[in-house]
Amino acid sequence: MTDPDTLPITEGERPERDAARTIWLERFGDLDVLHLQDRPVPQPVDDEVLVRVRAASINPVDWKIAAGQYPPKPADQLPFALGRDLAGTIEAVGTRAHNMLSHGDRVFAFIGQDRGAQSDYVVVRATELVAMPGNMDFESAAAIPLAAMTAWQGLLVHGGLQAGQRVLIHGAAGGVGHLAVQIARWKGATVFATAGTDDLDYVRSIGADTVIDYKNERFEDVATELDLVFDTQGGETQARSFGCIRPGGCLVSTLEPDEQAAAEHGVRVPPRWHAEPNAAQLGEIAKLLEAGTLRVEVARSFPIEEFDAAYRFARDGHPRGKVVLTLD
């Protein structure tokens, strides 16, 4: 006998589309390997919900996955859809989600690696999604989850940032960096930040105490005796950062940390980590967005049909903030 709790249901209206337009990857390579394909609309079971995606953001991990440079997505998992964060409306719910959500609710989410968010319809687990802040539109909300969760988990979970500490945030005008500056400021830290010449005033405006023009200044001459460095750049930037950190301090990298250099400088580095979906943490971020304490910068949005231009702009254009795909 079939377990009734695992049967998919479609509470609410019939999906607006018979198929889901999806950014689809069948082989690794440059951006020309990405295609927009019609895929079957998935069905939710148990505590899952089907979300009609209104906007989904592009993150560096997306083009790294496409190039085969992201170890958690090996070739034996091909083909698959891309994208990790989205904003949209509840279209249908599984049998165990009735008491939590209903058709038409506006939600945003950071989803697991087993699904792709850049699609008209995505199945989202109840442990991944949160109600959208009432003061946000879909494009802004879609730009939040992965970047904000990376900043939150990097600074607060892995870095243990506390009020009164000194933190340096690299790439402070980028998608993760501009949210990291605001979270660190909210936490009560003294914030040093690196940015390009054109972004200095912007980074000051979102709460950095000291902004360093990485093209014309050496950050290690300005940011010293740090408790924490949040590294989004790797390479030479990471190598030079160790000398800025006090003994016993910490460097958290979104890339591969140099454990040998850390040991030589008496600095703690968490092992390689990846941001993980966490609805409780995303809920805290939603409260900060609702209060206006945190705000997201959308550099530009593109309709999903222009995904190739969107990906190239996100990868090569050095945008301030996030790039978003719209699916209405």
Side-chain angles (χ1 to χ4, degrees):
M1 179 180 294
T2 303
D3 181 353
D5 283 338
T6 65
L7 288 173
I9 69 166
T10 54
E11 178 184 280
E13 300 176 359
R14 178 181 174 84
E16 296 175 18
R17 295 178 179 272
D18 294 328
R21 297 169 299 169
T22 303
I23 305 298
W24 195 247
L25 180 70
E26 294 185 341
R27 61 183 176 86
F28 293 133
D30 202 357
L31 296 182
D32 57 2
V33 301
L34 300 181
H35 299 283
L36 187 63
Q37 288 192 9
D38 282 345
R39 305 295 302 173
V41 176
Q43 290 291 308
V45 297
D46 295 336
D47 68 345
E48 296 174 339
V49 301
L50 179 66
V51 175
R52 169 70 167 96
V53 179
R54 306 293 176 171
S57 81
I58 297 174
N59 296 283
V61 68
D62 296 322
W63 61 78
K64 291 178 182 178
I65 288 174
Q69 299 173 349
Y70 189 66
K73 296 293 285 188
D76 61 9
Q77 293 184 13
L78 289 167
F80 49 75
L82 290 179
R84 297 292 303 278
D85 47 8
L86 58 88
T89 53
I90 300 292
E91 190 76 12
V93 299
T95 53
R96 295 178 181 170
H98 283 200
N99 295 331
M100 297 177 288
L101 302 158
S102 60
H103 180 268
D105 285 353
R106 292 163 25 111
V107 296
F108 68 148
F110 172 31
I111 66 173
Q113 297 175 23
D114 56 327
R115 288 146 293 142
Q118 294 167 9
S119 178
D120 283 307
Y121 295 100
V122 178
V123 165
V124 180
R125 298 186 181 97
T127 54
E128 297 170 333
L129 59 79
V130 170
M132 272 178 52
N135 58 347
M136 298 192 75
D137 57 30
F138 289 118
E139 292 177 33
S140 297
I144 284 287
L146 185 149
M149 295 292 285
T150 301
W152 183 280
Q153 293 174 11
L155 290 171
L156 307 184
V157 178
H158 298 290
L161 183 65
Q162 300 293 322
Q165 291 187 328
R166 294 162 62 87
V167 59
L168 169 63
I169 296 168
H170 287 301
V176 172
H178 84 290
L179 295 168
V181 167
Q182 296 173 72
I183 290 170
R185 182 68 173 180
W186 163 75
K187 192 64 179 178
T190 298
V191 182
F192 297 82
T194 61
T197 306
D198 294 340
D199 293 318
L200 300 180
D201 288 341
Y202 168 71
V203 174
R204 288 190 191 96
S205 75
I206 59 174
D209 296 285
T210 302
V211 185
I212 303 160
D213 184 346
Y214 73 87
K215 295 180 180 179
N216 296 301
E217 299 177 86
R218 288 176 54 84
F219 63 79
E220 56 266 57
D221 294 337
V222 180
T224 59
E225 292 297 310
L226 299 170
D227 297 285
L228 176 64
V229 170
F230 187 68
D231 165 43
T232 62
Q233 307 298 307
E236 180 189 358
T237 297
Q238 182 184 120
R240 291 164 52 198
S241 295
F242 286 111
C244 302
I245 305 171
R246 64 168 180 78
C250 180
L251 180 141
V252 174
S253 181
T254 58
L255 304 167
E256 193 72 41
D258 187 336
E259 295 182 359
Q260 180 177 344
E264 291 172 355
H265 287 84
V267 170
R268 178 176 68 88
V269 290
R272 183 69 188 270
W273 59 281
H274 304 284
E276 296 292 339
N278 186 308
Q281 293 173 357
L282 187 57
E284 293 301 311
I285 290 165
K287 293 176 184 177
L288 296 178
L289 292 163
E290 189 84 55
T293 303
L294 193 65
R295 64 181 190 269
V296 67
E297 182 80 7
V298 176
R300 189 174 171 188
S301 61
F302 295 77
I304 194 170
E305 293 84 0
E306 298 177 15
F307 72 90
D308 183 71
Y311 263 83
R312 294 183 189 279
F313 176 68
R315 187 189 66 177
D316 304 328
H318 303 289
R320 176 190 296 172
K322 297 294 297 294
V323 177
V324 173
L325 297 170
T326 59
L327 292 97
D328 281 331

